[in-house]
Amino acid sequence: PLPVFILQCQQALTEALGRHSRTRGLPDSVGLPRKIALDLLAVRARSEHELRQAMARRNVPADIADELLSRFVEVGLIDDAAFAATLVRSRSEFSHRGRARIRQELREKGVDREVAEEVLAELDPADERAAALELAYRKVRSMASLERQVAYRRLAGMLARRGYGPGTVSSVLAEVVGDPAVEFSTAG
């Protein structure tokens, strides 16, 4: 069912863009680049930068890529702000990543710095802390055989790699490692 849906969306997008491109006089040379972009967009939302890179890897001339991507932006198939908002929501809620890691991923995907900061500003610090706390409690269960200091160090590293700030990491660790219900090995 999902591949059929994707094919139907791709066909509808191709037909819609085909009508628009004929009326605007886009040359037939955009057929392959359009297919490249639509195939990628059928899987998930992409930033303009990602699509430009994909076309460059397939040796699409820059002027054709620019023309096609500007048309995609016009018709709303590419929207970096919406893409950034979706990515931030997904990474914070489901992947439990912090601000710094999400900011890095947005930068890698070519999202403009101002757009990224605007979207990241909407992240609630309390929600970010709650996600870090959930992640730490989930991870600490597998650390019962470790000494308290070792578990503390490993949890701190894991949270930092996920992009949580030092203040969040220290407050979460104080709560998790200081919790009397969490037991650690006393072997030295």
Side-chain angles (χ1 to χ4, degrees), residues 44-45 50 80-95 97 101-107 109 111 119-120:
R44 68 169 175 83
E50 287 180 294
D80 280 356
F83 169 75
T86 302
L87 188 124
V88 167
R89 188 172 40 259
S90 167
R91 297 307 190 257
S92 64
E93 290 178 18
F94 303 113
S95 300
R97 293 188 183 157
R101 179 74 185 271
I102 297 171
R103 182 179 293 116
Q104 176 186 2
E105 189 171 353
L106 288 170
R107 195 172 332 135
K109 294 187 181 297
V111 174
V119 173
L120 284 168

Side-chain angles (χ1 to χ4, degrees), residues 27-148:
D28 282 340
S29 60
V30 295
L32 177 62
R34 180 187 298 131
K35 181 172 177 7
I36 292 168
L38 290 175
D39 285 349
L40 291 171
L41 289 170
V43 176
R44 68 169 175 83
R46 310 268 176 170
S47 69
E48 185 175 350
H49 178 74
E50 287 180 294
L51 292 173
R52 191 175 307 283
Q53 283 183 323
M55 288 185 199
R57 281 192 303 271
R58 298 282 301 269
N59 299 319
V60 173
D63 59 330
I64 291 175
D66 290 342
E67 186 176 1
L68 182 65
L69 291 175
S70 68
R71 182 67 185 137
F72 274 32
V73 169
E74 272 179 44
V75 298
L77 288 175
I78 302 173
D79 182 355
D80 280 356
F83 169 75
T86 302
L87 188 124
V88 167
R89 188 172 40 259
S90 167
R91 297 307 190 257
S92 64
E93 290 178 18
F94 303 113
S95 300
H96 298 297
R97 293 188 183 157
R99 247 174 242 280
R101 179 74 185 271
I102 297 171
R103 182 179 293 116
Q104 176 186 2
E105 189 171 353
L106 288 170
R107 195 172 332 135
E108 289 170 0
K109 294 187 181 297
V111 174
D112 186 55
R113 178 180 288 206
E114 290 81 30
V115 171
E117 290 304 322
E118 188 177 303
V119 173
L120 284 168
E122 295 173 10
L123 266 181
D124 183 17
D127 290 343
E128 188 177 19
R129 186 182 185 290
L133 193 60
E134 178 186 339
L135 186 62
Y137 270 117
R138 193 175 344 141
K139 185 68 175 172
V140 79
R141 283 182 263 176
S142 66
M143 298 183 168
S145 64
L146 299 176
E147 293 180 32
R148 186 173 299 277

